[in-house]
Structures are given as structure tokens and as C-alpha cells.
Amino acid sequence: MSNFKNNKNRLYLGVAAGVVTATVASLSASPVRAQEAERRVLPPVSVDAPQQRARSATRTAQPRATPQRAARVAPRRAAEPPPPPAAPPTTMGSTRTIGAPAPAYAGGQVAQGGTLGLLGATSVMNTPFSTVNFTSQLIEDQQARTAADTLINDSSVRTTTSSNGFDDTFIIRGFPVNATDVGLNGLYGLSSSQRVPAQIIERIELLKGPGALINGIAPSGAVGGGINIVTKRATDEPFSRLTPFFMSAANYGLHLETSQRFGANKEWGVRFNGVGRNGEASIRDGNFQSGLGAVAIDYRGDRLRWTLDLFSQNDNTDNFRPQISLLPTATAIPAPPDARSNWYPDTRLRQKDNTAATALEYDLTNWLTAYAGVGYRDGSNYQTFPRSATAVDALGNFQVQNTYYDSYSKTVSGNVGFRSRFDTGFIGHKLNVAYTGFFQEAGNAYIQGGTTASNIYNPAPLPAVTLDRYSPRHASDSTLTSVAVVDTMSFLNESVLLTLGGRHQMVKQESYATTGTNIGALTSTYDASATTPLAGIVVKPWTNVSLYANYAEGLTRGTIVGGNFSNAGTILAPYKSKQQEAGVKVDWGTITTTAAVFQIARPSLITTAANAQAYDGEQRNRGLELNLYGLILPGLRGMASATFINPELTNPTDPTQRGNAAAGVPDKAFSAGLDWDTPWVRGLALNGRVIHTGSAYLTTANTLSFPGWTRLDIGARYTTTALTGKPVTFRANIENVTGETYWLTTGTYVTVGAPRTYLLSAAFDF
């Protein structure tokens, strides 16, 4: 337990802050309740009005002096209480993004809209893109630990890593989206480079397709989609909540959350989240320790709004979930090993992240808002990093080389701009002009050890690393800046919405030597720029139907080749990606259905025979997406989606592969879930979810494919006030009920999905 000291200190500090917040909340609530009690004894106006009219009739016969009448009326007016502060209006459809988010849609699992970068806070029905906005209600009811546990509710999103691994890596529309490409309140590089803890999330905003014009260049070059995390803010109703929880096999923890608003109009808000956990999770003989402290402060005035987020995250994992390379020339794909096993025994992973971010908006007029935001993140990783010196064959045999791969990154990210809404004649405008900036310094230390024979079903002890372990050295600087303008024009009472825009993006990258005789010397650099356009249209033949189409381009910075490739440290050239999409959205009242067809094309990144990363031709993903979400019946919430993709190689160097499917991209995926309030027990709800992923090829030769897999999750919760007089919610979930074992793949680089996992918690409000 000694190595959990840092996490305990974070939790203790968080508990202290939470207790202070809860105490202040209770003290400030007392006079409010007293005032409310005094107001209740005042004579209601509705009772006095008839009496006044009756007395007016009497005054005709016996008139009273004016001073007497004024004396009776004046005190009555003075005693009238001031109106209570109004709840903040939603930001959706306004020039604001700080404040109450878009209202939840019927069923409460998704929102009616979200913040869409350059397009601002927009309704789903007015957006010329495919978007989904998951709420904190869904996150809590499914007992998600990170954002990845929620995002797989959409079939267009799949993870290529699993619980207790190095990070959360996604595939959206068949293209990779790294954890480093997840935005935080609209800014890249500020969330953890590994995973975003669920406890800080109010909304998860998913954009499908290239988002370079919407959000700027993603740090790691995502083109398949964008993920933005909206952090929690203090609610109008104060609360304090303590949640002990348990996760199999023996991982336990405690979550403290408090929320309070202050001021005559509740203009100041403070929300705190503190989490500590420890114990064996999903890897046999492993241990996952985590400490999180997060404070969110905000101010909302008539014209000025301001936010501040501070959080610190510290994860220590012993025996983390491994990833490995399969032999591309194998005649068969080996069966996945036990999901609780670790074919790299005795690994260590230490991850730390500290972030501070602030944002401000000011309404210059009722149609023009100026905004700015900036944040800083300091992150580090220290890990045992075994790799397959010889890839795994069909029998599970491979050569393992043990290494240390330590790294750090320091990031500054910000934006500044103006949002406006105005009319020119019969045309309405929603105009946004913005500048974004991103700078990241990164460093690493790659220290190689010995090599030995092993097997994924019967792993050998890792060979020793005998070289000295030195601190990470400065490896690269990345500067991404852009200037953008976009205008959404509305016609015919907003039945036609036309969006036109462009972003001029500038990419500068420098790479430095971390080994050899010239440590710190500049080894490669490039400085490129490009202008990427955006065009989108929404046509509403009826108020509940939206037909939309878009064309978007994105500029992606070049890949910095990782340490396990022969051309490690090389910076590949930046490239453009292009998307065309068309679809229809129908809001049936309590259910929304969407359908979309899309095409995304970008250069294909491959690993050569010499174990080097390089671009080769183009990968063009064409697909169909179908979605449904909402309140299916009273008390029955649900969402379902299906995605079909053809990931075609259009012009590879090898002519025999032209027209083949890209490696590691499943041809189809389905997600469906239901949440039902039982009629026979008040407060009891049952839920279930099915996740299916189709087959994917091992290599672009398309000779071998991974089989598809299906995962079933079930759960229940019960809410009651009988125990303490305040809400207490018990939750129980089982993920992967049938204990399926399957590969998660990006082609030849694979890991296994998580085993059957039990989740228990009890949330006590006080």
C-alpha cells in the first residue's frame, strides 16, 4: 500500500475540499430555507385581490381618505418577495457555449445538441454532420469508468485497446483516433493522453468524420471523427454524494462529489470530484491504483461567463493489459489467450497528468460574443515496454524483447474569437471568426534490454534490462496554428441552413536526437500550411425532418514514428483528408432516427517489410450509418445503431492489392441498449446492452481475417429515499456476461478484450 501514498494524498486533499464545500453548502442553504419559510407566511396576493375589489365598492358610500388607502397598499407591496433567480438558459442556438448545456432528449441518455467547435452550440437537427451527445445520466447508469465505456454505445466507434491497458484508442468510421486527439471543452491536448475518467464528464460530444475545420488539427492526426469532453459544472440544486464502488476481481474505491452555487443569483459555482481506487482489476495478479482530484469553478453573469478547471490524475498499474504484433505471413490467426492473462508478466506502468484550463466569454452586444480559452497540461509515462522482436506465429510463439519506454509531454492550447448572430435582409447569419494555437514539447527515453523466447499461452519471464534507465530527453516540438471563419446562413424561417467556411492551418514540427553522440541535435523539420474548406447544408421540408449533406477537408500533421519501428523519430509529411456525406434525421417526438452515407479518403499508413512506417496509396472508407435513440415507451429508454464500412485501398504500390480492404477495419458493427423502469417496484430499473463487431482482415493482402465477436452487458439499479431521507442509488452491472474472448485489432497489432467484469456501487446523497 506504500506505493499508493500519492493517490491517497490526492484523495485526502479532495475529501477535505469536498467536506469544506459541503459544509459551506449546508450553511448557505440554511438562510435560504429560512427565507423561504418566511415567504410562505405572507398573505397570498390572490386572496387579497377580491377583498380590495369589495372594499372599492364600499368606498362609494363611505369614501376613505387617500392617505389611508396608500397606507394599506404600500406595506403590502414592500412585503412582496423578489422573484427567485431564473435558471440559466441553454447555450444551444445562442452565441454562448459557457452555461447550461443543451437539454437532454427524451429518455435522458443523449442531448438535443452540443458544442460543435467553430459552429458553436447547435441543435442536432440543425447540424450538417452526424453527431451524438451522450449525457452524464447514461455514463452513471452504465457505470462507465472512462469515456471509452460510453462511446461504444455508437456502432461507428470501437476501441482497439481494452481496460487496464496503456490508453483508450478508438476507431471512428474505420480510422484511428488516439486518446491524445480527445478535446477538453473544445481544446486539444488538455485531457489525459491515456484516458478521460468518467467522474469529470458532463457530456461526451461525438462528431463523425473529419473535424479539422470544426476543431482544428488533431494532435495525432485523427480524420475519422472528433471527441470532445464537456466537464461538469455546479448545478442549481446543491448536493453532496459519496459513492463506494467495487470492480472485479478485487478493485475497490471511493468517489466523493459535491456541487454548490453561491451569490444572490447563484452566479458562482464550485464542483469537486475526488476518486481513489486500488486492487486487482481485469488482469490476474495485477493491480490498478488511481487517484483523481478535480475542481471546476465557474461564474455566470448577465454578460460575462468564466470557467476554471483544475485536475490531477495519477494511475499506477502493475501487469497492464498487453498489445502484441502478429506475424503477417502466418497461415492462421492464433486463438486469443485468456482475457485475464498477461503474456508480458511483471510489467509496470506509471501515468501522471496535471491540467489547468480556463475560458471566458463576454457579450459585447446581444448579438456579438467575444471568447477566449487557454490551458496547460503536464503529463508523463514511465513503463516497462516489452515488444515482440519476432511476431507471434499461429501457435502463439514469439521472441520478446524487454525495454523501458518513458515519455513526457507539455502542452499549451488555446483559442480566441468572436461569435455573432445577425440578419441581412431575409438571410440570417451565424458567423464565427477564430484563431487557435497548440504547442507541445515531447520527450522520450527508449532503453532496450535482452531477448528471449516466449508464448502467449505460456509466457516466459521478461529478460532483464541491464542498461541504465535515464530520464526522457527532448524529442520533438509541434506547433499547430490556424485562422478560421464560418458562416451558417438561414433562409425561409430556418428551413434551409447553408454553412460555408474555411480554415488556414499551419503545421510546424521539429524532431531532435535522443540517442547517439548528438543528443539534442535537430534531426528533421518541416513547416507546411494549407487551407481546408467546409460546405454543409440542412434542408427541413418539415420541422421534424432534416436532410443534410457536407463536404469537408482536413489537414493532418505528419506521424512521428514510434520507438519500436526501424525509422523511429522520423516525421512523416502532413497530408489532407476529404469527406463527403449525406443523410436524413427525423425527430418523431420521443424518438430520433438518423441515416447517413459517407466517404472518407486519406493516405494509407503501412508497416513495410523493413519494419518502417510509411504512406502507401490511399484508403477510402465508404459506409452507411443507421441510428435510433430516445424514449421508446413510457419508462423504456433505448438506443441502437448499425454501421457498414467498405475500407478500400484505391492505389497501393502493390497492384495485386488494389481494391482490397484495409487491415484491421471491421466490415460492420452494431450497438443496442435498453433501460427499463420496472412497473412492479418503484425505483427499480433494468438495463442491457449488446455490442457486436464484424470480421476484419489481418493484412492488406486479405488472406486471413479475425472473426467477429459479440459482447452482452446487463445491469440493474435501485433508487430509494427510505434509508436516509435522501436519494440512495444502488447499481450492479455485468460486462461481457458470457465471458467471450476475442481479439481487438488494428491489423497485425492486437490485444484481447476485457473478461467478464462485475461492477457494484452505492451512491449516497447527503
Side-chain angles (χ1 to χ4, degrees):
M1 296 291 290
S2 61
N3 60 356
F4 195 38
K5 186 182 298 182
N6 290 336
N7 296 331
K8 288 198 295 184
N9 290 339
R10 294 169 189 265
L11 180 59
Y12 292 158
L13 177 62
V15 170
V19 170
V20 170
T21 305
T23 304
V24 174
S26 62
L27 292 176
S28 62
S30 298
V32 172
R33 286 192 291 267
Q35 292 171 8
E36 290 175 348
E38 292 174 0
R39 291 170 185 169
R40 282 195 292 268
V41 300
L42 293 175
V45 175
S46 60
V47 175
D48 291 340
Q51 295 173 354
Q52 290 172 349
R53 286 195 297 270
R55 288 168 184 162
S56 298
T58 308
R59 291 188 198 109
T60 305
Q62 300 178 357
R64 294 177 181 265
T66 301
Q68 290 178 325
R69 187 167 60 252
R72 291 178 60 87
V73 175
R76 197 177 299 277
R77 288 177 180 173
E80 292 178 356
T90 175
T91 58
M92 188 173 69
S94 71
T95 58
R96 297 172 286 109
T97 59
I98 298 176
Y105 187 68
Q109 297 181 322
V110 299
Q112 297 178 22
T115 53
L116 197 59
L118 203 60
L119 298 184
T122 309
S123 164
V124 169
M125 300 299 289
N126 290 344
T127 303
F129 295 94
S130 181
T131 62
V132 183
N133 305 278
F134 299 106
T135 66
S136 57
Q137 175 183 318
L138 177 67
I139 294 170
E140 293 170 1
D141 289 344
Q142 293 183 340
Q143 296 201 77
R145 281 79 66 205
T146 71
D149 298 319
T150 300
L151 283 161
I152 59 174
N153 285 290
D154 192 287
S155 61
S156 291
V157 183
R158 287 295 179 258
T159 59
T160 60
T161 53
S162 192
S163 61
N164 301 123
F166 177 76
D167 64 4
D168 287 342
T169 301
F170 308 93
I171 287 184
I172 303 179
R173 286 186 170 177
F175 290 109
V177 177
N178 294 335
T180 53
D181 289 340
V182 175
L184 183 77
N185 296 322
L187 294 177
Y188 284 127
L190 302 182
S191 63
S192 168
S193 60
Q194 282 74 48
R195 58 189 63 84
V196 181
Q199 291 82 5
I200 71 170
I201 301 174
E202 180 64 33
R203 296 283 166 82
I204 303 177
E205 299 173 337
L206 170 64
L207 166 67
K208 304 174 194 177
L213 186 133
I214 300 299
N215 298 306
I217 302 174
S220 295
V223 300
I227 301 168
N228 183 53
I229 302 299
V230 179
T231 54
K232 290 179 177 178
R233 301 276 173 246
T235 59
D236 283 342
E237 294 299 323
F239 72 88
S240 295
R241 182 173 300 136
L242 190 65
T243 306
F245 57 84
F246 174 85
M247 181 176 71
S248 61
N251 191 269
Y252 53 90
L254 191 66
H255 175 203
L256 172 65
E257 183 172 17
T258 63
S259 175
Q260 174 68 37
R261 301 205 70 88
F262 307 93
N265 295 305
K266 298 183 178 181
E267 57 268 25
W268 289 96
V270 179
R271 189 156 182 174
F272 169 79
N273 280 276
V275 182
R277 65 164 69 233
N278 184 32
E280 182 179 326
S282 62
I283 299 292
R284 188 178 298 110
D285 299 324
N287 195 79
F288 175 59
Q289 302 173 347
S290 180
L292 169 69
V295 177
I297 303 172
D298 73 282
Y299 172 83
R300 60 189 194 202
D302 291 337
R303 289 187 175 273
L304 178 68
R305 294 167 298 281
W306 170 77
T307 65
L308 174 66
D309 285 282
L310 304 170
F311 61 87
S312 180
Q313 184 178 344
N314 190 338
D315 296 341
N316 295 336
T317 310
D318 295 340
N319 283 318
F320 60 91
R321 187 167 299 283
Q323 294 174 274
I324 200 166
S325 294
L326 300 184
L327 194 65
T329 57
T331 57
I333 295 176
D338 181 2
R340 282 181 45 78
S341 66
N342 179 13
W343 52 76
Y344 297 141
D346 202 29
T347 52
R348 300 286 185 272
L349 176 61
R350 306 291 182 259
Q351 300 170 318
K352 297 180 181 180
D353 279 287
N354 295 290
T355 296
T358 185
L360 182 142
E361 291 181 343
Y362 184 75
D363 297 332
L364 299 172
T365 68
N366 60 0
W367 57 270
L368 178 64
T369 297
Y371 65 92
V374 66
Y376 173 77
R377 173 187 157 272
D378 188 347
S380 62
N381 304 292
Y382 297 89
Q383 63 175 319
T384 311
F385 188 69
R387 71 181 188 92
S388 50
T390 302
V392 178
D393 65 18
L395 299 177
N397 300 308
F398 68 102
Q399 290 282 324
V400 59
Q401 180 182 35
N402 197 10
T403 68
Y404 295 136
Y405 186 64
D406 303 332
S407 63
Y408 75 87
S409 62
K410 297 180 180 180
T411 306
V412 177
S413 184
N415 62 11
V416 62
F418 295 91
R419 301 187 198 94
S420 60
R421 293 177 67 92
F422 58 91
D423 296 333
T424 56
F426 62 91
I427 303 175
H429 296 268
K430 186 178 179 183
L431 181 68
N432 191 354
V433 180
Y435 171 85
T436 63
F438 171 96
F439 174 79
Q440 184 175 84
E441 175 190 327
N444 61 64
Y446 187 65
I447 307 167
Q448 298 183 3
T451 303
T452 189
S454 188
N455 186 281
I456 59 175
Y457 309 113
N458 185 25
L462 292 176
V465 180
T466 57
L467 298 176
D468 291 337
R469 191 171 192 174
Y470 55 86
S471 298
R473 296 165 178 164
H474 183 203
S476 66
D477 289 333
S478 300
T479 303
L480 313 175
T481 57
S482 67
V483 178
V485 59
V486 65
D487 186 13
T488 297
M489 295 167 280
S490 58
F491 307 86
L492 304 176
N493 197 25
E494 295 197 346
S495 60
V496 177
L497 303 171
L498 176 63
T499 300
L500 298 174
R503 185 185 290 269
H504 184 68
Q505 303 178 101
M506 293 147 281
V507 182
K508 183 178 181 180
Q509 286 189 264
E510 298 173 331
S511 182
Y512 300 88
T514 58
T515 59
T517 58
N518 295 318
I519 293 174
L522 182 66
T523 57
S524 62
T525 182
Y526 68 70
D527 192 342
S529 64
T531 299
T532 54
L534 166 73
I537 188 169
V538 176
V539 179
K540 295 183 174 181
W542 299 277
T543 56
N544 66 320
V545 177
S546 295
L547 307 175
Y548 75 94
N550 67 67
Y551 173 82
E553 292 184 4
L555 179 67
T556 300
R557 77 171 190 176
T559 300
I560 301 176
V561 179
N564 56 329
F565 294 97
S566 61
N567 59 337
T570 301
I571 303 177
L572 304 182
Y575 58 84
K576 279 189 176 183
S577 56
K578 300 178 181 180
Q579 170 178 280
Q580 299 90 38
E581 178 182 1
V584 57
K585 308 171 186 177
V586 183
D587 184 349
W588 303 92
T590 60
I591 296 174
T592 290
T593 56
T594 70
V597 292
F598 64 87
Q599 173 180 293
I600 306 174
R602 52 150 277 186
S604 182
L605 182 65
I606 66 167
T607 301
T608 67
N611 193 37
Q613 281 198 311
Y615 298 131
D616 178 35
E618 183 181 74
Q619 178 180 336
R620 183 180 63 195
N621 289 4
R622 289 175 170 171
L624 167 67
E625 292 172 337
L626 304 172
N627 289 269
L628 175 151
Y629 56 81
L631 191 65
I632 301 172
L633 294 170
L636 180 63
R637 297 160 290 278
M639 58 178 61
S641 56
T643 302
F644 305 90
I645 296 180
N646 177 25
E648 183 180 357
L649 303 177
T650 58
N651 55 346
T653 301
D654 184 352
T656 64
Q657 295 188 8
R658 187 166 292 126
N660 283 7
V665 181
D667 57 347
K668 56 183 174 294
F670 307 100
S671 296
L674 292 174
D675 191 288
W676 179 47
D677 296 327
T678 62
W680 58 81
V681 178
R682 183 180 179 86
L684 176 64
L686 306 176
N687 61 74
R689 179 173 67 176
V690 176
I691 307 294
H692 173 78
T693 302
S695 61
Y697 285 108
L698 173 68
T699 68
T700 55
N702 291 182
T703 55
L704 291 176
S705 62
F706 295 91
W709 54 269
T710 302
R711 181 182 118 186
L712 172 65
D713 304 336
I714 61 173
R717 67 181 178 277
Y718 177 65
T719 302
T720 180
T721 58
L723 297 178
T724 64
K726 290 191 175 183
V728 178
T729 302
F730 300 92
R731 292 183 174 92
N733 293 77
I734 306 175
E735 295 180 348
N736 193 6
V737 173
T738 58
E740 297 295 318
T741 303
Y742 51 90
W743 290 115
L744 295 175
T745 174
T746 56
T748 58
Y749 200 53
V750 299
T751 186
V752 291
R756 182 186 298 112
T757 303
Y758 300 93
L759 304 166
L760 300 172
S761 68
F764 295 88
D765 282 19
F766 60 93

